[in-house]
Amino acid sequence: MRLYDRISAQLVGWRQRVSHLKEAHGAVKVSDITIEQLYGGIRGVAINVSDISYVDPQEGIRLRGFTVPEILTLLPKMKGAEMPMVGGLYHLLMANEIPTYEDALAVESEWIKRSTVPEHVFDVIRQLPHDAHPMTMFSMAILAMQPESVFAKKYNEGIPKTDYWKYYLEDSLTLTARLPVIGAFIYNHKYRQGQHIPLDPNLDWGANFAHMIGKGDDKEYQDLARLFFILHSDHESGNVSAHASHLVASALSDVYYACSAGMNGLAGPLHGLANQECLKWLLDLQDAFPDQPSCQQLEQYVWDYLDSGRVIPGYGHAVLRVTDPRFIAQLDYGKQHMPDDELFQLVTQVYECLPGILVKQGKIKNPFPNVDAINGALQYHYGIREFDFYTVLFGMGRILGLTAHAVWSRALGKPIDRPKSLTTRMLEEMVIKS
Ligand code: CMX
């Protein structure tokens, strides 16, 4: 398997770099923490190392050192496609190199081979109340596959620590191979009266998902699906889904346990669920102003909304201090493919006016849009109008990154995470002594 060989070839070098840092420079201090940060979600404190992606506050995400525009240009594409193959992105995340066309196809064909989902996983979804949130179905479907974990079996048999990553990779390929089938099953089960469409072995991961939800003839939607999954794949390791999944895997729980945990975090309204919330917010705005609102009208509307104690979904970020480049990539896609769509025009109008309004509110540190401010509107344009499903799309993409982190954490021998907590009394005593 190519990914296995490519990772193996780099491991000695990576392990030497990490050992050298730990052994020769282990005492070098990289972070301090204040009381404000302790009570404030550990914001800004470096607590992990990720070589897979990095979010620069002023620039946004780089995946394996490449910006979003670079990735969309450099990753290989299927013939006739505008957007790259998701398999190429997975190669980049896992193997730390821009893949050739053959490398990307190798991941895609490995995924096809592993794509059969056991029937009991569908049964688990069917057994849930039909109105259960699709993220509940998604997370439980992932967990339902855990009994197949090769890592869990091998661990019980006894394997050296240096081999853990091989079985994490094995499980990661199987889990990610099945995500389009599971995502499409949930969509069809919930919203298309159970009309299921089998996977097409000639299609790539992104296009196959589109095909299985009934968009097999829509080349534009297939491209949007590829773009969406690539953009949502990874955002370094401090966000809730990545952090939760990393923490769980650090206990040597396998990737099924770890990714299910990550999805439970993604299902929160301050994280992945913001895309569903954002579309709701935009549709309500559209109802209130059937013609596009002016900035002045928007301002009054926003103040009323904020006064009700809610946050504007899709705006703000814990790390970014500029417009999210993942928002910009989707904005560019929208300008090219749906410039006359009224909801898309509303997204651009909100982008024009809202940052200025949020600045006046005086609390938010980043008044610009994040990835969630637009992705629902693009899905809506192509008829994916069940907006509680959008977080599942986010999750399908995000698991690509979560599994890459899990494999590399084991490859580099990272230990169980166990930070320390203090009491309020201890902090009060420290303040007195300081
Ligand atoms: N609308 C209104 N107020 C906002 C706001 C928004 N979109 N974003 C932040 N604020 C407020 C916060 O509630 C906070 O107020 P209090 O001091 O009264 O609690 C204040 O501004 C400071 O917050 P911050 O430091 O700017 O932001 P945080 O790092 O604490 O939180 C985030 C970041 C994303 C959770 C927050 O901006 C938010 O809730 N945004 C809306 C939800 C959203 O879009 N989430 C998706 C994030 C993308 C992802 O999932 O990766």
Side-chain angles (χ1 to χ4, degrees):
M1 190 203 308
R2 281 180 201 228
L3 280 182
Y4 176 90
D5 294 338
R6 295 288 169 59
I7 296 174
S8 289
Q10 296 171 43
L11 259 188
V12 176
W14 276 104
R15 283 176 175 161
Q16 276 170 356
R17 282 173 71 187
V18 174
S19 298
H20 174 73
L21 277 173
K22 284 198 304 194
E23 283 154 26
H25 306 288
V28 172
K29 212 172 187 178
V30 290
S31 260
D32 272 326
I33 187 158
T34 61
I35 288 179
E36 190 183 9
Q37 286 169 317
L38 272 177
Y39 281 111
I42 333 281
R43 204 70 85 255
V45 183
I47 58 147
N48 202 350
V49 185
S50 165
D51 293 296
I52 294 168
S53 64
Y54 178 73
V55 181
D56 182 280
Q58 302 303 329
E59 182 193 54
I61 185 75
R62 276 181 186 258
L63 298 165
R64 290 293 193 184
F66 296 97
T67 63
V68 168
E70 285 166 349
I71 279 169
L72 297 181
T73 310
L74 295 174
L75 290 184
K77 300 177 174 105
M78 295 288 275
K79 201 161 174 269
E82 189 190 326
M83 290 296 159
M85 278 178 267
V86 179
L89 183 270
Y90 205 48
H91 183 104
L92 172 67
L93 297 181
M94 281 285 188
N96 187 27
E97 60 187 15
I98 293 288
T100 62
Y101 182 72
E102 286 70 32
D103 290 331
L105 272 190
V107 176
E108 294 286 353
S109 69
E110 192 67 41
W111 274 339
I112 294 288
K113 273 193 254 161
R114 294 167 181 257
S115 59
T116 306
V117 176
E119 196 55 32
H120 77 266
V121 176
F122 299 134
D123 288 341
V124 165
I125 297 170
R126 286 191 197 102
Q127 289 303 317
L128 285 165
H130 201 263
D131 63 354
H133 195 281
M135 280 303 280
T136 308
M137 295 180 170
F138 189 52
S139 177
M140 289 183 76
I142 294 166
L143 207 51
M145 294 189 285
Q146 189 283 328
E148 287 177 78
S149 169
V150 179
F151 171 76
K153 280 192 194 79
K154 291 284 174 188
Y155 184 82
N156 287 333
E157 287 165 19
I159 44 170
K161 193 175 174 187
T162 45
D163 283 355
Y164 290 171
W165 72 271
K166 299 174 186 170
Y167 303 106
Y168 263 63
L169 177 62
E170 181 65 32
D171 284 346
S172 296
L173 282 164
T174 304
L175 168 58
T176 50
R178 295 172 177 179
L179 295 175
V181 180
I182 292 171
F185 183 90
I186 293 170
Y187 188 80
N188 293 330
H189 169 71
K190 258 189 95 82
Y191 315 113
R192 295 202 332 129
Q193 295 75 45
Q195 299 170 60
H196 298 292
I197 300 172
L199 175 129
D200 179 345
N202 300 310
L203 291 177
D204 58 295
W205 203 87
N208 237 324
F209 169 74
H211 157 74
M212 286 185 281
I213 60 162
K215 303 238 163 262
D217 297 331
D218 190 340
K219 297 280 174 230
E220 249 182 61
Y221 183 73
Q222 293 179 6
D223 266 323
L224 179 69
R226 294 180 182 109
L227 175 67
F228 189 103
F229 296 133
I230 289 172
L231 292 180
H232 289 77
S233 62
D234 207 37
H235 216 228
E236 69 173 42
S237 53
N239 64 77
V240 170
S241 51
H243 192 183
S245 149
H246 170 79
L247 180 67
V248 170
S250 82
L252 298 184
S253 301
D254 56 60
V255 295
Y256 298 99
Y257 281 127
C259 290
S260 176
M263 292 305 99
N264 298 341
L266 193 72
L270 295 188
H271 190 20
L273 207 78
N275 58 13
Q276 111 169 33
E277 305 271 315
C278 190
L279 194 71
K280 243 188 265 164
W281 188 81
L282 285 169
L283 291 176
D284 288 347
L285 181 64
Q286 200 172 41
D287 278 349
F289 301 100
D291 304 321
Q292 295 285 346
S294 65
C295 279
Q296 212 178 6
Q297 287 170 318
L298 195 61
E299 179 153 3
Q300 189 50 52
Y301 186 88
V302 166
W303 281 121
D304 290 345
Y305 191 86
L306 292 174
D307 286 345
S308 70
R310 291 173 287 179
V311 293
I312 309 287
Y315 278 74
H317 201 272
V319 177
L320 282 172
R321 294 296 174 257
V322 289
T323 298
D324 190 335
R326 301 170 300 171
F327 173 90
I328 292 175
Q330 295 181 90
L331 188 71
D332 290 345
Y333 187 91
K335 281 181 185 161
Q336 199 185 332
H337 293 285
M338 59 193 80
D340 301 327
D341 180 294
E342 284 182 4
L343 198 60
F344 174 70
Q345 288 175 348
L346 187 60
V347 169
T348 59
Q349 173 70 354
V350 170
Y351 179 35
E352 186 82 23
C353 311
L354 196 59
I357 302 170
L358 287 171
V359 165
K360 280 193 208 159
Q361 184 211 22
K363 289 205 296 185
I364 193 168
K365 295 195 187 64
N366 174 40
F368 300 110
N370 60 58
V371 68
D372 293 328
I374 187 167
N375 48 25
L378 301 194
Q379 296 292 327
Y380 200 80
H381 174 81
Y382 291 105
I384 313 299
R385 300 201 159 177
E386 301 80 7
F387 37 84
D388 55 354
F389 188 71
Y390 297 162
T391 314
V392 174
L393 294 174
F394 191 156
M396 289 169 61
R398 178 50 54 94
I399 289 174
L400 301 165
L402 302 187
T403 49
H405 280 280
V407 168
W408 274 92
S409 292
R410 299 294 77 73
L412 296 178
K414 284 192 185 168
I416 188 166
D417 267 22
R418 182 43 170 107
K420 187 80 192 82
S421 60
L422 303 172
T423 65
T424 299
R425 166 68 57 87
M426 287 172 185
L427 294 179
E428 286 164 348
E429 284 167 3
M430 283 180 199
V431 169
I432 292 166
K433 283 186 201 145
S434 68

